Amino acid sequence: MSDQGAVPDDAVRLDPRRQTPLYRWLSARMLRFEARSRARGSRGARWGMRAIWTTVALVGLLLLIGPVVNAPLELDDYYSSAEDADESWIARSFEADYEVQRTGDGRLELEVEERVQAFFPDDVDLHGIERTLVTELHGHDLRPELIEATLDGSPAEATVADAATRTTFAIAADERLRGDHEVLLRYTLHDVAADVYDESTGRWQQTLEWDALGVDWAQGTLDKRISVTLPRDLDEAQQRQPRASLAWLLLSADIALEPDAETADTVTYVATNDQTTPPYAEFRLTLNFVPGTFAMPPHTPLYWVMVVGPFLPLLVSAAVLLLALAARAVAWADARGRLWYVAQYEPQAGVSPALASHIWGGWRGAALVRAVAAYQRDRSARPKLLRELHRAGRVGDVVGARLRFRAAPERREQRQRGLRRSTGGVVRDGFLGAAVALPLVQVGLARQLSHQMPLSVYWWPLAIVAATAILSVVVIVIATSAFPLTRRGAFAREHLLGLRQYIEQTRTAEQTTLRDPLLPYVVLFAGARDGRRIVERALDDAGVPRTAASDPTLLTGGRLAIRAAAILAPLAAILLANTVPSPTVETADDSIFDADLAGDYGAFVRAFDATGELIPTADGGLSMEVEERLEMVVEDRHEVPQLLREWRDRPDGSRQELEVASVEVDGAEVPFDTGRRHGKAYLRTEIADDWPGEHDVVVRYRLADAAAAIRTADGWRDAVTWTALTPDWDWDWSGVDVDVERVSFELRVPQGIAADAEAVEPLDTPSWTSEDDPPLLEATEDGDAVVYRTALAADDDQWFWLSQGMAGVQLRFAEGAFSSDGRGPWIRHAAWQATPPILTVGTGLVALAAALFGVLGGRRLRPGLARDAARWLAPGLAVTQLVLFVWMTADASGEEWFFIWPGLLLLANLAAAVWSLIASRKR
């Protein structure tokens, strides 16, 4: 057909897809760039692009295996600096006076005067002193301004060296320094404060935190003194008492800044310390102001570089992906043909069915099309036809079909005949280079960040590495798979469209025969699965048997399922073990002792008394109201200590609906927050101000649904379980100089309810208890109630046991007496408790059965389900059982049944899996 002239009346028009303006604009820029590069010399431009991305990749490699930028000091650095402290000058005394001011525009200005008494040993050859300050803090540029520098009372020559985040004042002397010298520096800092959220108090504040010694203070220091002078209005704007903290490595101490002098306009606070500190110690000053006290400056460009920098490779990868999509949609799109086609009654001359399948893009059925055409030419090709017929459209042949399609000679023939064109060029090289270099840079950045933050806690660096890698893989697929049709190829495709119209109009697929020259095209247009059925019908009509030898290279659905299970099962087990706490693991440690809640240290309990009262509800159930009284000692710390409490409010799967009503400190209510951790409810106060000293604290809470059905040795019963204290509470409430001295709890039960109780017992009983020992739980009558009470002092024999177990009371009644939810919660809880052993043992038994296929079948096994089970499923499930076993027994002592028998099964499976791999290897 000619591409000139009018459009025939019976033509079917093709409406070309119009891409988005963004894609068209991006593609136009890439086409212009490609054209200019070719005009200047395509070879040189392509090598230049490769050189650019090779350089980027080398930068990523340097970040990955090279030195760590701004690496924090390690233990060896601290120890060596302490040992070599006498190799430099020593600070006999360090004094710093700070004057906080607020400028006319509301910004903070800090006037600093430092006096250092420096001692230079005789064997130290120094002609000056360097003082290094941090100049980038909280995203603010501190802009240090040196006002004055003196040495031994005389003006000294000082030079200022500015770096990206630090400024160094270098004071030079005319001669070598020996003995004692006095150094004075006066300078000004700006915008030292920042808006900070205090996790302990739950409030925003403006914090001025400054290390008086500085990051590069490599001197041993004896006497230290800092003072802070505040105008009256700024002093009144403080949220808390100003503080100082002294730290070296893992050792730290808080120092209160006490008022030292006052005038009508100012207040001065002073902190001193005479402890000798080694090099690289910290002497921090902290002042907390109410929000809005100071006007905050805009963040510096370096701040945004540090914030965006770790994500830069990911962002560039996203931009590269957008460009690749635009190139694939426009620049690498198929050329336009006539934009119409008419019905065609025979294949295009010179275009074989195999070549037509490549022009059409039917890679799933291309092999079957080729086999049908080969069989029509030569009946001896029947085995090949039957093999491809067995493969066509199956899930297990997806990868193989794609690989064979790309490796077929027709792919190269299309380019040779001008039907398709290559996308090779500087743009494509840029995409491929970026896809290789950017993930390498992202991994290098993650490695650099790993020295600043633990990646086990801060997971996002690894997440962006994975995201960058995924984007890069997509870009590579787009860049390497683009193989657009030329105008001549578009004409050929339009001919195929016309041929398909004719086949559909004449219903050729329903009546075609093995000898029909249109059969390969019928298969091509029908698709792999429908084409397979058409060929099968044609073979049956022609009386050609379809029996074929087994195809060991084809992965059937069953084989794919086995391999997928072998790969996914260990991954699922690892995900389960890292995200879901095993119900066989006792979470005995209190949230306070876990040390990951703000304000969790510094508030200690001397005495604990809890009183609970059981109250009937209108719906026939039971509720409980509890009042806890604590005698506490609170330390004076840099972080405001908070009271933390934890309760087991879901015993045996029931939901007691615990609700904290109030928390009082010395008779005044304080704010608090509640939540859940480790399957238990917790309370954390949010006291905003320092509260050191001794305090009386009252906590009131309610259990709205205290009764639940449980299974006992005597059958089903209703139970009220009150856990007054969770295990190991004494670890959290004991400080350096404070220990728990008294613990008591009592439960008041109405007489009628107490009379219906079949049993009243403490939650835990010591195993060494004898009949001669006094009862742990005493019952007394008090008016119309029975009081069950436990009271122990630190010197009682049962104190140690009480501190290790759950302290509380359980009352049991006949089933249905008070519970409203029935047996369901207990059954679900018991099923969840049994899940780890059942899952571990079940996985182990399946793994053992799969291994037996390989052990018993050996080398006689041919490729198929049995061999895949032996070589894939057996080792995969053995690894899965190993992960589940560790998840299940993380807290086991080794004597529990769920440790011994599953452990033996695991050892057997590991040995059987290895034996199976060896026995079933190929001949």
Side-chain angles (χ1 to χ4, degrees):
M1 294 185 303
S2 172
D3 62 327
Q4 306 294 331
V7 179
D9 295 335
D10 59 345
V12 178
R13 291 185 176 276
L14 294 173
D15 295 326
R17 180 179 178 183
R18 185 169 179 81
Q19 296 296 334
T20 62
L22 176 62
Y23 274 13
R24 294 200 303 272
W25 184 84
L26 292 176
S27 222
R29 297 300 180 275
M30 285 185 285
L31 287 172
R32 185 178 300 175
F33 176 69
E34 183 81 47
R36 290 180 177 177
S37 300
R38 290 182 176 178
R40 297 174 182 174
S42 176
R43 184 178 180 85
R46 297 182 69 177
W47 278 107
M49 180 63 72
R50 294 168 185 172
I52 291 173
W53 287 114
T54 300
T55 303
V56 175
L58 291 175
V59 171
L61 191 63
L62 180 64
L63 293 173
L64 184 61
I65 64 176
V68 178
V69 179
N70 196 23
L73 294 177
E74 299 180 352
L75 289 175
D76 292 341
D77 299 324
Y78 280 100
Y79 292 147
S80 62
S81 66
E83 294 173 354
D84 303 335
D86 56 352
E87 296 182 4
S88 181
W89 61 274
I90 299 171
R92 293 188 185 273
S93 66
F94 174 87
E95 297 182 3
D97 298 326
Y98 300 92
E99 183 177 350
V100 182
Q101 299 177 359
R102 184 162 46 187
T103 63
D105 56 357
R107 305 272 284 271
L108 184 147
E109 191 172 82
L110 192 63
E111 299 287 344
V112 186
E113 181 177 305
E114 293 180 354
R115 292 174 299 280
V116 180
Q117 189 70 30
F119 172 73
F120 294 82
D122 292 339
D123 55 348
V124 173
D125 186 12
L126 290 175
H127 291 75
I129 290 179
E130 290 186 350
R131 180 75 172 104
T132 302
L133 305 174
V134 171
T135 58
E136 180 82 14
L137 187 65
H138 300 299
H140 300 170
D141 184 2
L142 305 189
R143 308 192 316 276
E145 300 175 4
L146 181 61
I147 300 174
E148 181 183 6
T150 66
L151 181 62
D152 296 328
S154 301
E157 179 183 353
T159 58
V160 180
D162 292 321
T165 60
R166 300 181 183 184
T167 293
T168 300
F169 301 146
I171 302 173
D174 296 333
E175 57 184 3
R176 175 182 174 184
L177 296 174
R178 296 183 180 180
D180 290 303
H181 296 273
E182 184 174 322
V183 180
L184 181 141
L185 280 175
R186 291 181 59 238
Y187 55 89
T188 303
L189 300 174
H190 305 83
D191 302 318
V192 185
D195 292 320
V196 176
Y197 181 76
D198 190 343
E199 296 285 349
S200 178
T201 63
R203 296 186 180 183
W204 282 93
Q205 60 193 21
Q206 289 190 330
T207 299
L208 188 163
E209 186 175 19
W210 181 252
D211 184 4
L213 296 178
V215 291
D216 282 341
W217 187 261
Q219 276 66 48
T221 311
L222 282 67
D223 296 333
K224 294 166 286 296
R225 176 185 178 277
I226 58 175
S227 70
V228 183
T229 300
L230 296 168
R232 284 287 181 179
D233 58 336
L234 293 182
D235 183 60
E236 295 172 357
Q238 291 192 91
Q239 284 189 338
R240 297 174 53 198
Q241 178 86 3
R243 308 192 63 82
S245 61
L246 184 65
W248 185 78
L249 198 54
L250 301 178
L251 305 176
S252 63
D254 286 340
I255 306 170
L257 278 166
E258 302 293 345
D260 182 68
E262 295 188 25
T263 66
D265 300 324
T266 63
V267 178
T268 300
Y269 296 88
V270 175
T272 60
N273 182 273
D274 58 1
Q275 296 177 338
T276 301
T277 54
Y280 300 109
E282 296 181 357
F283 196 20
R284 290 191 173 274
L285 164 73
T286 304
L287 288 81
N288 298 303
F289 300 92
V290 297
T293 302
F294 300 103
M296 292 292 111
H299 290 302
T300 63
L302 180 60
Y303 168 82
W304 293 113
V305 169
M306 299 299 291
V307 170
V308 179
F311 301 91
L312 186 59
L314 176 62
L315 297 176
V316 176
S317 295
V320 171
L321 175 61
L322 180 63
L323 291 171
L325 291 172
R328 185 67 183 87
V330 182
W332 296 342
D334 292 339
R336 296 183 181 183
R338 301 178 185 83
L339 297 183
W340 52 267
Y341 66 90
V342 294
Q344 302 292 334
Y345 307 105
E346 59 184 11
Q348 186 177 8
V351 177
S352 66
L355 181 59
S357 65
H358 280 261
I359 297 173
W360 186 257
W363 61 271
R364 289 293 303 274
L368 182 58
V369 171
R370 178 192 294 273
V372 170
Y375 178 78
Q376 290 181 334
R377 293 192 305 269
D378 186 358
R379 296 296 186 269
S380 63
R382 174 175 165 272
K384 177 183 178 182
L385 172 61
L386 295 180
R387 183 175 67 252
E388 296 300 338
L389 191 65
H390 182 62
R391 288 172 172 266
R394 297 187 183 274
V395 177
D397 192 47
V398 171
V399 177
R402 186 69 179 178
L403 294 176
R404 292 194 302 274
F405 184 79
R406 291 180 64 89
E410 287 77 16
R411 182 176 176 84
R412 183 172 59 256
E413 182 184 353
Q414 292 180 94
R415 185 184 298 110
Q416 293 172 347
R417 295 178 57 173
L419 301 176
R420 288 186 182 271
R421 62 185 176 85
S422 173
T423 58
V426 65
V427 172
R428 181 175 181 269
D429 290 348
F431 288 157
L432 296 177
V436 174
L438 292 174
L440 193 59
V441 174
Q442 194 69 76
V443 173
L445 287 174
R447 181 251 179 173
Q448 296 285 330
L449 290 173
S450 67
H451 288 77
Q452 307 293 337
M453 58 184 70
L455 296 186
S456 58
V457 178
Y458 299 93
W459 53 267
W460 58 265
L462 297 180
I464 62 176
V465 166
T468 306
I470 293 173
L471 294 180
S472 296
V473 170
V474 175
V475 170
I476 290 175
V477 171
I478 293 174
T480 56
S481 63
F483 196 32
L485 291 169
T486 62
R487 181 169 173 80
R488 185 177 176 185
F491 290 160
R493 191 174 190 279
E494 289 170 357
H495 186 97
L496 292 174
L497 286 169
L499 187 61
R500 184 184 66 172
Q501 182 183 11
Y502 169 74
I503 290 174
E504 290 176 350
Q505 290 175 345
T506 59
R507 296 185 177 182
T508 305
E510 299 176 5
Q511 55 190 359
T512 184
T513 64
L514 281 178
R515 297 179 179 274
D516 189 347
L518 291 181
L519 177 60
Y521 299 94
V522 171
V523 173
L524 173 62
F525 300 137
R529 292 196 176 192
D530 292 339
R532 182 180 71 220
R533 287 190 285 268
I534 292 171
V535 175
E536 288 175 347
R537 180 192 55 77
L539 288 171
D540 294 339
D541 292 345
V544 178
R546 292 193 283 116
T547 304
S550 62
D551 188 356
T553 61
L554 175 64
L555 295 177
T556 61
R559 295 182 66 183
L560 283 175
I562 286 178
R563 297 189 179 200
I567 296 173
L568 296 178
L571 299 179
I574 293 172
L575 181 64
L576 176 69
N578 282 276
T579 56
V580 180
S582 173
T584 61
V585 175
E586 294 291 339
T587 57
D589 292 344
D590 202 282
S591 292
I592 314 169
F593 188 73
D594 286 344
D596 56 0
L597 290 175
D600 58 358
Y601 187 79
F604 308 113
V605 176
R606 280 184 174 168
F608 172 87
D609 300 289
T611 301
E613 183 176 0
L614 209 57
I615 302 172
T617 61
D619 59 357
L622 293 174
S623 65
M624 184 184 299
E625 294 184 355
V626 182
E627 180 180 278
E628 297 179 350
R629 294 186 174 273
L630 300 85
E631 296 178 10
M632 300 188 62
V633 177
V634 180
E635 289 186 347
D636 187 14
R637 294 181 56 80
H638 181 76
E639 183 183 58
V640 179
Q642 304 292 344
L643 166 66
L644 279 84
R645 282 289 289 118
E646 186 173 75
W647 301 279
R648 188 179 68 131
D649 63 332
R650 296 182 180 178
D652 299 319
S654 64
R655 292 177 179 266
Q656 296 181 328
E657 305 298 336
L658 184 144
E659 180 181 355
V660 180
S662 64
V663 180
E664 295 180 0
V665 176
D666 298 330
E669 290 196 4
V670 297
F672 60 88
D673 180 40
T674 57
R676 300 197 60 80
R677 287 169 45 85
H678 300 163
K680 291 174 278 189
Y682 77 87
L683 155 77
R684 191 183 74 88
T685 60
E686 294 182 340
I687 300 174
D689 300 323
D690 297 311
W691 56 307
E694 299 182 359
H695 300 277
D696 293 326
V697 178
V698 179
V699 179
R700 297 183 179 90
Y701 65 90
R702 182 175 184 268
L703 302 179
D705 190 4
I710 65 170
R711 179 73 177 178
T712 68
D714 299 325
W716 286 96
R717 295 290 185 271
D718 278 3
V720 173
T721 304
W722 175 40
T723 307
L725 291 173
T726 55
D728 299 328
W729 47 264
D730 63 326
W731 292 4
D732 310 318
W733 288 352
S734 298
V736 177
D737 299 319
V738 182
D739 290 319
V740 185
E741 300 173 358
R742 185 186 75 252
V743 168
S744 72
F745 54 91
E746 64 179 41
L747 178 62
R748 297 179 61 86
V749 183
Q751 286 277 8
I753 297 177
D756 293 337
E758 297 181 357
V760 181
E761 298 176 351
L763 292 184
D764 283 334
T765 304
S767 58
W768 59 84
T769 301
S770 65
E771 296 181 356
D772 298 331
D773 293 329
L776 182 66
L777 191 65
E778 297 180 348
T780 59
E781 294 188 6
D782 184 9
D784 59 350
V786 177
V787 179
Y788 301 97
R789 178 178 174 81
T790 294
L792 294 177
D795 56 354
D796 288 344
D797 294 337
Q798 295 176 327
W799 177 268
F800 175 77
W801 163 82
L802 183 66
S803 67
Q804 301 298 307
M806 286 184 292
V809 185
Q810 184 180 75
L811 290 80
R812 292 193 291 275
F813 305 89
E815 183 184 10
F818 299 106
S819 66
S820 58
D821 294 334
R823 300 178 179 181
W826 191 95
I827 293 175
R828 289 191 294 269
H829 178 71
W832 173 236
Q833 293 282 351
T835 296
I838 293 175
L839 193 59
T840 304
V841 174
T843 303
L845 293 177
V846 176
L848 185 61
L852 290 178
F853 284 112
V855 174
L856 299 178
R859 296 191 179 185
R860 297 188 303 275
L861 290 176
R862 294 183 176 275
L865 290 174
R867 191 169 187 274
D868 280 2
R871 299 193 63 81
W872 286 81
L873 199 60
L877 292 186
V879 174
T880 303
Q881 187 193 1
L882 174 62
V883 176
L884 293 175
F885 181 78
V886 174
W887 175 63
M888 177 183 66
T889 61
D891 197 43
S893 62
E895 299 177 357
E896 297 86 348
W897 74 268
F898 61 79
F899 185 95
I900 299 173
W901 298 112
L904 294 176
L905 179 61
L906 172 62
L907 295 177
N909 276 330
L910 294 175
V914 175
W915 189 1
S916 176
L917 289 173
I918 296 174
S920 62
R921 65 188 185 275
K922 290 184 178 180
R923 298 177 182 178

